[in-house]
Amino acid sequence: MADNSSAKSKNKVSFSERDKRLAYIILSIIIVVATYFLGFQKLQEKKNTMLEANETLQKEVNNLRSMVSKQASVEADTADKNKLTDKIYKKFPAEVRLQNAIYQLDEGEKGIKEVHIKSEGFTMNQILYADGQFSLDGTNPADANASSGGNGDGNAGKGDGGIVAKQSTIDVQFDSTYDAVKKFVDFINKNEERMKISELTFAKANGNNKLNCALKLDMFAVEGTDKEYEEPDVPYIMSGKKDITVR
């Protein structure tokens, strides 16, 4: 009996130790798996995120290095373009007023005897470009001139220290011969003021060799440069009589 009891006791002890070892193994596996999913995997995700961020930053660094290496060339190119732009700007008058438009047409009529102007219509100083934007309706795109007023001839004023390009359109009705029309066009093309003919139509008048002509003349100005407005020189105005007359 004693031997049987001793054998059973040994079997019990041996079985319990095996269970413990198995439990330890299982627990170790659980700890390893938990460590992977709860710790290592998150660290790996963070590592991947940091690698991606580092790759993006590296690209930006490379771009900045490339820009720095080209800085001198870009600055020189920009300076050349600015000089060219300023040179072009200075070819335009600082301002076109009603008197300028009337004076130019009067000069053309006086210089070409066969041209007889019947009527003139003026749309002055419509904004083409201001505050870095082109205008589609003749007003400042950024509405910077809304409160600046004008000078009484349609001039809406300039923006806050920037370049403002303006266009004045004159509709002219006149009688002329065909040869005189060509001379009048030549007068406009060779004029020092920046202007162009955007439309010209003519038809033969009844009963004579004259043509009935309609011309649309565009005059341009650029404000915001160091160029100042100059009054037109009118040397043919005579004084000393009751009424001022034009020769």
Side-chain angles (χ1 to χ4, degrees):
M1 272 309 272
D3 291 338
N4 290 337
S5 176
S6 176
K8 288 180 180 178
S9 177
K10 285 181 180 179
N11 288 336
K12 269 186 179 183
V13 172
S14 177
F15 184 76
S16 295
E17 289 178 353
R18 189 173 61 182
D19 286 346
K20 287 180 181 180
R21 286 196 298 270
L22 184 60
Y24 289 150
I25 292 172
I26 294 172
L27 183 60
S28 298
I29 293 172
I30 291 172
I31 292 172
V32 171
V33 172
T35 300
Y36 174 79
F37 283 104
L38 298 178
F40 179 77
Q41 190 176 33
K42 288 186 177 180
L43 289 173
Q44 189 66 29
E45 289 175 356
K46 287 183 179 180
K47 178 183 176 183
N48 292 336
T49 302
M50 292 179 67
L51 287 174
E52 291 176 359
N54 185 62
E55 184 178 354
T56 301
L57 290 173
Q58 188 61 48
K59 289 180 180 178
E60 293 180 0
V61 168
N62 292 337
N63 288 336
L64 289 172
R65 285 175 177 170
S66 176
M67 291 172 64
V68 169
S69 67
K70 298 177 182 177
Q71 181 177 357
S73 174
V74 171
E75 287 178 349
D77 185 54
T78 301
D80 290 340
K81 288 181 178 178
N82 286 339
K83 287 180 182 179
L84 178 60
T85 301
D86 290 339
K87 185 177 180 180
I88 293 172
Y89 283 155
K90 289 178 180 179
K91 291 180 179 293
F92 290 84
E95 187 178 345
V96 171
R97 297 182 183 177
L98 193 60
Q99 61 194 26
N100 299 95
I102 293 174
Y103 174 75
Q104 291 299 333
L105 292 172
D106 191 54
E107 284 291 286
E109 185 179 31
K110 286 185 174 299
I112 307 169
K113 294 181 179 180
E114 294 86 357
V115 171
H116 302 288
I117 296 176
K118 298 187 293 184
S119 67
E120 300 170 356
F122 304 88
T123 303
M124 301 300 295
N125 293 300
Q126 298 296 294
I127 295 177
L128 294 177
Y129 176 88
D131 300 305
Q133 302 178 62
F134 288 95
S135 173
L136 298 178
D137 58 1
T139 60
N140 194 322
D143 203 23
N145 297 327
S147 62
S148 62
N151 60 14
D153 64 358
N155 190 344
K158 68 177 68 176
D160 298 332
I163 294 296
V164 179
K166 295 182 179 181
Q167 172 182 316
S168 297
T169 301
I170 303 96
D171 292 293
V172 187
Q173 302 287 332
F174 65 97
D175 292 333
S176 176
T177 64
Y178 180 69
D179 286 339
V181 170
K182 292 191 292 183
K183 291 178 182 178
F184 196 48
V185 170
D186 192 51
F187 162 77
I188 292 171
N189 286 335
K190 293 180 178 179
N191 199 287
E192 292 182 357
E193 299 294 334
R194 311 305 291 184
M195 55 187 181
K196 71 178 181 68
I197 297 172
S198 58
E199 186 177 324
L200 174 62
T201 59
F202 48 85
K204 188 173 179 60
N206 293 327
N208 54 46
N209 293 325
K210 294 282 187 178
L211 298 174
N212 292 329
C213 306
L215 179 143
K216 190 180 291 290
L217 179 67
D218 295 324
M219 301 181 69
F220 301 92
V222 174
E223 297 182 0
T225 68
D226 56 2
K227 197 170 184 178
E228 296 182 355
Y229 174 73
E230 296 181 4
E231 295 279 349
D233 182 18
V234 187
Y236 48 80
I237 295 294
M238 301 295 294
S239 61
K241 297 182 180 181
K242 182 178 180 181
D243 295 322
I244 296 177
T245 59
V246 179
R247 285 193 297 188

